[in-house]
Amino acid sequence: MSRIAYFGPRGTFTEQAARLLAAGEELVPVETVRLAMTAVREGEADAACVPIENSVEGVVPATLDALSEASPLVAVAETILPIHFSVLTRPGTAQIRTVASHPHALAQVREWLEANLPGVHTVASSSTSAAAVGVLEGDFDAAVCAPVANEHYHLEVLATEVADVTDAATRFLLVRRPGELPEPTGADRTSVVAAAANRTGTLAELLTELAGRGINLTRLDARPTRSNFGEYRFFIDFEGHVAEPRVLDALTALRRHCRTLRFLGSHPRADGTRNTIEAGFGNDDFVEAAVWADAVRKGDMA
Amino acid sequence: MSRIAYFGPRGTFTEQAARLLAAGEELVPVETVRLAMTAVREGEADAACVPIENSVEGVVPATLDALSEASPLVAVAETILPIHFSVLTRPGTAQIRTVASHPHALAQVREWLEANLPGVHTVASSSTSAAAVGVLEGDFDAAVCAPVANEHYHLEVLATEVADVTDAATRFLLVRRPGELPEPTGADRTSVVAAAANRTGTLAELLTELAGRGINLTRLDARPTRSNFGEYRFFIDFEGHVAEPRVLDALTALRRHCRTLRFLGSHPRADGTRNTIEAGFGNDDFVEAAVWADAVRKGDMA
């Protein structure tokens, strides 16, 4: 059985994602995103499950930073969870006067609380799980939690699928030490982080290398590097798999432009969206062009 | 006196920024970033003060989203605040057993608490100000707050400039309805939001227009649009002022590429960094080229 570190505590959405990405494995909650990855880097865990982006809040900066520091890790799988909550109470609670959760979660169910528990007093807790523990211990009457929380706390479920924004979702990654890559599926995502000088036009050059190969971006984030003022790290996600000739060709070109370029993985997309391949940009076009260029170099063709 | 809406509650870093950006004006706390901007859009306030990015947490998605919706608003000024906290107690508190704050603030002073108040029990609150109110009311022994909080609550200051990461900072904007622009200073920032089709190479095209005019990016964020799946909004900040010919020329070119392009303002940079102008990319070069092209069109030159 593998040992999978995840950003804890127990009973959160990240545990729920880890159960999907590593079903049947030993799941170990770790206090921060960085420490979950450290556990993998130091061999204490085989993989880590961490959140990477949320459709409302955007990217998770701690995950980007931890992916780009220390020794390389690669993403081998992803999953997307809809963010809706369960409201949990102690069995037999007659009236709900107080409801606790992390302030982020309370903000995401405010309208639901106004409509369904009017006048309830909201209390901030350090995590959604801590709110469930508080309910167990009698500190509050109800807790707003990830659905998986109740697998640990066995409270009464007052409501499920609670969310003011019904299409909010978070994407999670499973990362490992570098090794065998997942097979390409035709609906893949490749991620890199590029450190480049803060010079006019740097990012335009990188993106033009991808565009010139017909490769579609799926996400781009720029983060200042802490250590070197004026230097940026660009986190670039795009369609395709490094096993494809066109993606390998693009990575080779990016490598020339960047002070450092780190490969963060190629893996199937959770949403199943197929790679965009426009006319003249297929892998066979790249293979054919390479065969032609090789023949030219040998003097067999012109 | 102008009426300035800011993202409240009272006693937070955003109030502190509003005091710097609109000294002597009437400052009105508003519950969310979006509602602060709505107050300006509807004429209930003359300007709004909102956070735009933090050096640790990254961009503030709610601010980007609110800037790009409804009627246009433009940023006319910015300020950068170092994020360090004051620890406040009731006068005469002999021993500190509990310390409260928003979970984000508690996370940023965890090491300080371990070193200076070992064994203290931390309690989550809905905001840093709510923690100060809780101390006033005897719920907790100490609160971790923005320095400005004590102008409202008059507690005893146990410590100031408390922060585990000493260089964390947040940038704030003052936004108004469109009107007269601030004068260019040679150390300016211009911001736009571009909605473009999710087509391979779109972003590379936009950035190449800037790079080809020697214009340096200062920030780039891509956000999915909620209403139109597969369409992205690019928030692009770059050096310079729309009153400069090279910047005006770049904006004109961007306009052609985008489904919609919204101008979010040109204003002096809080960090005072002068605009990068490389040889051949000065405003005089753009003026001279336009004079030459005009003469060519008239048949006076070739």
Side-chain angles (χ1 to χ4, degrees):
Chain A
M1 195 163 70
S2 295
R3 194 174 155 83
I4 314 295
Y6 68 91
F7 171 44
R10 293 193 316 162
T12 62
F13 285 100
T14 311
E15 183 191 345
Q16 201 152 338
R19 287 173 176 233
L20 288 169
L21 287 169
E25 309 297 347
E26 182 194 5
L27 305 182
V28 184
V30 173
E31 197 182 355
T32 67
V33 165
R34 169 169 285 120
L35 289 173
M37 293 199 211
T38 302
V40 181
R41 287 184 166 118
E42 296 185 349
E44 293 158 19
D46 299 294
C49 180
V50 292
I52 178 77
E53 60 174 336
N54 174 275
S55 59
V56 178
E57 291 295 317
V59 82
V60 181
T63 299
L64 295 187
D65 291 346
L67 278 171
S68 59
E69 67 183 28
S71 60
L73 294 172
V74 294
V76 295
E78 67 175 39
T79 191
I80 297 174
L81 285 187
I83 299 302
H84 50 66
F85 299 89
S86 294
V87 181
L88 306 177
T89 59
R90 276 183 310 284
T93 300
Q95 198 188 347
I96 293 173
R97 292 189 186 83
T98 54
V99 57
S101 195
H102 189 279
H104 278 192
L106 289 174
Q108 287 175 58
V109 300
R110 200 179 52 176
E111 292 169 24
W112 187 92
L113 291 176
E114 282 171 13
N116 294 278
L117 295 170
V120 76
H121 181 62
T122 59
V123 184
S125 61
S126 60
S127 71
T128 53
S129 293
V133 172
V135 171
L136 266 182
E137 295 177 350
D139 297 339
F140 325 111
D141 299 327
V144 176
C145 297
V148 75
N150 220 22
E151 309 242 348
H152 300 292
Y153 304 115
H154 310 294
L155 292 159
E156 194 164 285
V157 179
L158 182 74
T160 59
E161 309 210 351
V162 172
D164 294 345
V165 178
T166 51
D167 57 355
T170 299
R171 188 162 62 93
F172 297 85
L173 299 178
L174 189 70
V175 302
R176 292 181 180 278
R177 294 181 293 281
E180 206 178 332
L181 300 176
E183 290 294 311
T185 64
D188 304 297
R189 195 190 308 277
T190 292
S191 307
V192 296
V193 52
N198 185 13
R199 185 172 51 73
T200 303
T202 304
L203 183 58
E205 285 169 15
L206 301 184
L207 300 188
T208 299
E209 293 289 2
L210 294 170
R213 289 169 179 82
I215 295 175
N216 212 8
L217 288 185
T218 58
R219 195 175 54 83
L220 174 70
D221 290 286
R223 295 270 301 154
T225 57
R226 287 249 190 116
S227 51
N228 196 344
F229 186 78
E231 188 181 78
Y232 270 78
R233 287 202 190 98
F234 301 111
F235 293 82
I236 310 175
D237 280 12
F238 48 89
E239 294 182 357
H241 192 291
V242 65
E244 295 177 64
R246 65 192 206 128
V247 174
L248 192 65
D249 195 52
L251 286 183
T252 310
L254 292 182
R255 176 75 185 187
R256 286 187 285 106
H257 287 278
C258 299
R259 197 172 294 171
T260 63
L261 182 71
R262 182 181 282 193
F263 174 68
L264 297 177
S266 288
H267 57 76
R269 290 176 68 151
D271 62 11
T273 305
R274 310 281 306 167
N275 305 337
T276 308
I277 302 202
E278 289 164 31
F281 293 102
N283 286 309
D284 48 351
D285 296 302
F286 282 77
V287 170
E288 193 277 334
V291 168
W292 175 87
D294 195 50
V296 167
R297 189 183 58 74
K298 288 176 178 155
D300 296 342
M301 202 174 279
Chain B
M1 196 162 70
S2 295
R3 193 174 156 86
I4 313 296
Y6 68 91
F7 170 44
R10 294 194 315 162
T12 62
F13 285 101
T14 311
E15 184 193 344
Q16 200 153 339
R19 286 173 177 232
L20 289 168
L21 288 169
E25 309 297 349
E26 183 194 2
L27 304 182
V28 184
V30 173
E31 198 181 354
T32 67
V33 164
R34 170 170 284 122
L35 288 173
M37 292 199 212
T38 302
V40 181
R41 287 183 165 118
E42 296 185 350
E44 292 159 21
D46 300 294
C49 180
V50 292
I52 179 77
E53 61 174 334
N54 174 276
S55 58
V56 178
E57 291 295 317
V59 84
V60 181
T63 299
L64 295 187
D65 290 346
L67 278 171
S68 59
E69 68 184 28
S71 60
L73 295 173
V74 294
V76 294
E78 67 175 39
T79 191
I80 297 174
L81 285 187
I83 300 301
H84 50 65
F85 299 89
S86 294
V87 181
L88 307 177
T89 60
R90 275 183 311 284
T93 301
Q95 198 189 346
I96 293 172
R97 291 188 186 82
T98 53
V99 57
S101 196
H102 190 277
H104 278 191
L106 289 173
Q108 288 176 59
V109 301
R110 198 177 54 177
E111 292 171 25
W112 187 92
L113 291 176
E114 283 171 9
N116 294 277
L117 295 171
V120 76
H121 181 62
T122 59
V123 183
S125 61
S126 61
S127 70
T128 54
S129 293
V133 172
V135 171
L136 265 183
E137 295 177 350
D139 295 339
F140 325 111
D141 299 327
V144 176
C145 296
V148 76
N150 219 21
E151 310 240 349
H152 300 292
Y153 304 114
H154 310 296
L155 292 160
E156 192 164 285
V157 179
L158 182 75
T160 60
E161 308 210 351
V162 172
D164 293 346
V165 177
T166 52
D167 56 354
T170 299
R171 187 161 63 93
F172 297 85
L173 298 178
L174 189 70
V175 302
R176 292 182 179 279
R177 293 181 294 280
E180 206 178 332
L181 300 175
E183 290 294 310
T185 64
D188 304 297
R189 193 189 311 276
T190 292
S191 307
V192 296
V193 52
N198 186 13
R199 183 172 51 73
T200 303
T202 303
L203 184 57
E205 285 169 15
L206 301 184
L207 299 188
T208 299
E209 293 289 1
L210 295 170
R213 289 168 180 84
I215 295 174
N216 212 9
L217 287 186
T218 59
R219 195 175 53 83
L220 175 70
D221 291 285
R223 295 271 301 153
T225 57
R226 287 250 187 113
S227 51
N228 195 345
F229 187 78
E231 187 181 79
Y232 270 78
R233 287 203 190 98
F234 301 111
F235 292 83
I236 310 176
D237 280 12
F238 48 88
E239 295 182 356
H241 191 290
V242 65
E244 295 178 63
R246 67 192 204 128
V247 173
L248 191 65
D249 195 53
L251 285 184
T252 311
L254 292 182
R255 177 74 184 187
R256 285 186 284 107
H257 286 278
C258 299
R259 197 172 293 171
T260 63
L261 182 70
R262 183 181 281 194
F263 174 69
L264 297 178
S266 287
H267 57 76
R269 290 177 68 152
D271 62 11
T273 305
R274 309 281 304 167
N275 304 337
T276 309
I277 301 202
E278 288 164 31
F281 292 102
N283 285 307
D284 48 352
D285 296 302
F286 281 77
V287 171
E288 194 276 334
V291 168
W292 175 86
D294 195 51
V296 167
R297 189 184 57 76
K298 288 176 177 156
D300 296 342
M301 202 174 281

